[in-house]
Amino acid sequence: MVNIMVEEFRQMQRLLADTLEDYETPEFKQLDGRIAHVFDAIYRHEPRSPEEASTMARFFLDLIGSNDTGDNLHLIERLHAIVDRWTVRWQPTMEIVHGAGI
């Protein structure tokens, strides 16, 4: 589900970039509003699987990588929350004491 929203966002982002010179038009403003709405839906979406978590993490990393204005703190915090919830923390099955013959 979230991968569909991410693709929709990216398509609208490309359309918006193509119309930057017309930023005062109603069409531009409508597209800008739709992009904001889809981004908000992605941002607030709670991943339901590791695949969705991965899609969201990659999406946020792409945005962070392409944004040089320094307003990435909210994306970084959201990414940390997703990673903290969905990554498997490795824990040894048993403690190795005194080398255990290894």
Side-chain angles (χ1 to χ4, degrees), residues 9-86:
F9 179 90
R10 289 184 172 150
Q11 287 175 353
M12 287 188 294
Q13 195 176 36
R14 286 188 289 271
L15 284 172
L16 194 67
D18 292 342
T19 61
L20 280 178
E21 64 277 357
D22 300 321
Y23 66 92
E24 289 295 327
T25 65
E27 294 82 11
F28 180 91
K29 291 178 181 180
Q30 180 183 18
L31 182 58
D32 190 45
R34 285 179 49 214
I35 287 174
H37 177 74
V38 172
F39 175 81
D40 190 54
I42 294 167
Y43 184 83
R44 295 180 186 283
H45 181 77
E46 283 299 325
R48 296 183 184 120
S49 68
E51 292 79 16
E52 283 194 353
S54 176
T55 296
M56 291 178 72
R58 286 190 174 113
F59 172 69
F60 292 142
L61 287 171
D62 287 347
L63 289 179
I64 290 167
S66 66
N67 185 349
D68 61 356
T69 61
D71 60 353
N72 294 323
L73 186 57
H74 71 285
L75 294 176
I76 293 168
E77 288 172 355
R78 180 68 174 130
L79 187 54
H80 275 294
I82 291 169
V83 169
D84 288 348
R85 180 159 185 230
W86 285 97

